Amino acid sequence: MQPRRFRERIRWKILKAAGFCCILVVIWALFGKWTARLRDDYSYAHVDIGTERDAVFVEGCVDPQSYQQQAGYVPQNATFVMLTRNEELSGVLSTIHSIERHFNQWYQYPYVFINDESFTDEFVRQVKAATRAEIRFGVLSDLEWEFPPDVREKLVFKESIENQGDRGIMYGSLESYHKMCRFYSGAFYKHPLVAQYEWYWRIEPDVEFFCDLTYDPFYEMSRTGKKYGFTVFLEELYWSVPNLFRYTRSFIRQNHIQTGNLWHLFVKDYNIVSGDSVLESFINHEAEIESEVVTQMKIQALMDAAKKDGSDDLDSEALEFLVDRALRRVPIIEDKFDNEEFNLCHFWSNFEIARVDLFNSGLYAKFFEFLEKSGGFWTERWGDAPVHSLGLGLMLDVEDVHYFRDIGYQHSTIIHCPMNKADAQLPYVENPDYSKVSQVNNDMYKIFSHVTRTKGQNEDVGVGCRCVCPKDADIEDSNQCFGKWYDITRDDYESPTALKLNLDLEED
Ligand SMILES: Nc1nc2c(ncn2[C@@H]2O[C@H](COP(=O)(O)OP(=O)(O)OP(=O)(O)O)[C@@H](O)[C@H]2O)c(=O)[nH]1
Ligand SMILES: *[C@@H]1O[C@H](CO)[C@@H](O)[C@H](O)[C@H]1NC(C)=O
Ligand SMILES: [Mg+2]
């Protein structure tokens, strides 16, 4: 072999490889064009995010009376639903006051309250005094609330729940919390008081609404064919759901489920490249394509060159590459199943506006039964939020889901509060019948240090009606999940497909 010629040819091959990589770089730069813009700071609150796939139903305010008189408007077969305890009465009242003041004084949707014990007379009396809307109270039987007897009898049941406390898993040591999550995951939609409705709006004690909702969200969902609506989308704590995704993937495989495109919202996809089995196993992230492809091409080029020169021995550089590759292990990603991992993003289910039959039918119910058999509702602390989200991911397309960006909302320390639509505000006009109860309500109404967020110079990306927002940061601005929602609802979004690699160097 003539060493000079060999080296020259190698240089040329490597140059070609580098050129090929440049093309790759361009391809995924284009892929990522939109996302890159925002990926660094996850700051969306000042960005117009509405698209054909999903946008706020009504930006700014409407007059509720004329809205209800529009042709085609029909009140929907819908209810609020809250599972709660007698001790939480003051938080319950505060939620009712907020929702009555900001929405239900104009629409009069009924409430369903559910408890695992009887509601006290005091609870019933005070709740009834807080609204003119119809209220129903339901008490759960042991069958509806408790874990099945054969589970409860197991020694490992109590042990497992206590152990979660020892390991510091949030709420992990509270048996009641596990029951609550299980109830919302697999039972609330079967409860007769809920099943008699087509739509529900889930609420909780101590939530706060910041904007007026002057249109009917149930009607708009129905009119546009939406099935599930949310206000907060964020990451779950890993240690509360370590095996949830493993079971979900098994369920998909066993039942040959073709997921909708919403599925991509909840997974990290490791199907990055195809066409080369070695590279498929080494590349798990887009950022790894370049260096892996270059290495692969160098090795290939050296092998080819050595072969062409009719020599059996490779030069030392070639050997180095090969030895390096041979010594490396395929990277292990512990939670990768079928090339996917749960990205922990989920709709925060303490607020949901959705169709009851989404859960109360076929696939989701089967999914819940499967999860129930796995024991994860007590061996781990699976929340109803990630369970709902993955279940929805099995069934729905992105277009079926609605982000109620215009609903300002707070639960615990997490806040979403939109800017007001500048040129679509109307004065607040109280429903005269509501004024009778509102006096009581206003007395108890929590006073915040209210600040209205101002919009930028030339933009009106506001969507809210009479929002009065607290100072704290918006959840839209501080989590990666929201970026995924932003991506997936873009009109030009396409489901991810692996980049087809063609590493054939023989054509010269
Ligand atoms: N009847 C009844 N209701 C419960 C029980 N545990 C929770 N709930 C209700 O279920 C809902 C969710 O429970 P929370 O304790 O607020 O759970 P969370 O929202 O994840 O936790 P926080 O951030 O502390 O509010 C609330 O409406 C509670 O009132 C229970 O043991 N019995
Ligand atoms: C409301 O929806 C439920 C569930 O689909 C149905 O059984 C019930 O008949 C409906 N009620 C009305 C008044 O339409
Ligand atoms: Mg709560």
Side-chain angles (χ1 to χ4, degrees), residues 485-503:
W485 173 256
Y486 177 83
D487 266 359
I488 209 168
T489 49
R490 270 164 28 212
D491 287 323
D492 58 351
Y493 174 83
E494 278 170 34
S495 301
T497 47
L499 197 56
K500 185 100 185 114
L501 289 179
N502 181 1
L503 299 180

Side-chain angles (χ1 to χ4, degrees), residues 77 195-198:
N77 185 358
Q196 62 174 322
Y197 294 100
E198 195 180 345

Side-chain angles (χ1 to χ4, degrees), residues 51-59 67 70 72-74 76 198-199 215-230 353-355 396-404 406 485:
T51 64
E52 292 276 307
R53 283 172 189 239
D54 188 55
V56 163
F57 293 129
V58 175
E59 296 189 349
Y67 174 88
Q70 71 178 295
Y73 175 78
V74 256
Q76 299 295 297
E198 195 180 345
W199 298 92
Y215 65 88
D216 181 342
F218 300 113
Y219 174 65
E220 295 298 330
M221 296 269 289
S222 155
R223 189 180 62 77
T224 54
K226 296 279 183 183
K227 296 176 178 157
Y228 185 89
F230 70 96
I353 297 182
R355 294 190 63 89
L396 299 187
D397 285 326
V398 173
E399 294 79 0
D400 298 326
V401 177
H402 179 65
Y403 174 34
F404 280 102
D406 53 328
W485 173 256

Side-chain angles (χ1 to χ4, degrees), residues 178-216:
H178 288 258
K179 289 190 271 200
M180 179 276 284
C181 293
R182 180 173 165 270
F183 171 79
Y184 269 125
S185 295
F188 81 96
Y189 49 83
K190 289 192 270 194
H191 193 278
L193 288 184
V194 179
Q196 62 174 322
Y197 294 100
E198 195 180 345
W199 298 92
Y200 72 94
W201 176 337
R202 177 171 158 189
I203 49 176
E204 264 197 24
D206 284 312
V207 299
E208 177 74 27
F209 294 90
F210 300 117
C211 310
D212 285 356
L213 189 61
T214 47
Y215 65 88
D216 181 342

Side-chain angles (χ1 to χ4, degrees), residues 390-499:
L390 290 174
L392 296 170
L394 302 178
M395 305 183 290
L396 299 187
D397 285 326
V398 173
E399 294 79 0
D400 298 326
V401 177
H402 179 65
Y403 174 34
F404 280 102
R405 195 185 204 196
D406 53 328
I407 297 188
Y409 180 73
Q410 171 164 19
H411 172 256
S412 69
T413 54
I414 291 175
I415 290 172
H416 163 64
C417 194
M419 289 181 289
N420 286 317
K421 174 86 180 165
D423 56 7
Q425 298 300 306
L426 292 171
Y428 170 67
V429 182
E430 197 155 87
N431 180 333
D433 294 330
Y434 170 70
S435 302
K436 288 172 212 147
V437 281
S438 76
Q439 197 43 53
V440 191
N441 290 354
N442 284 333
D443 293 345
M444 299 185 60
Y445 200 72
K446 273 192 256 159
I447 307 296
F448 280 80
S449 56
H450 285 141
V451 176
T452 306
R453 268 202 263 166
T454 49
K455 65 193 173 65
Q457 283 276 273
N458 298 313
E459 46 174 351
D460 182 10
V461 298
V463 290
C465 168
R466 299 192 286 266
C467 303
V468 187
C469 297
K471 271 197 193 116
D472 316 63
D474 194 301
I475 187 73
E476 274 189 11
D477 275 347
S478 57
N479 84 96
Q480 314 188 21
C481 293
F482 199 79
K484 281 220 106 178
W485 173 256
Y486 177 83
D487 266 359
I488 209 168
T489 49
R490 270 164 28 212
D491 287 323
D492 58 351
Y493 174 83
E494 278 170 34
S495 301
T497 47
L499 197 56

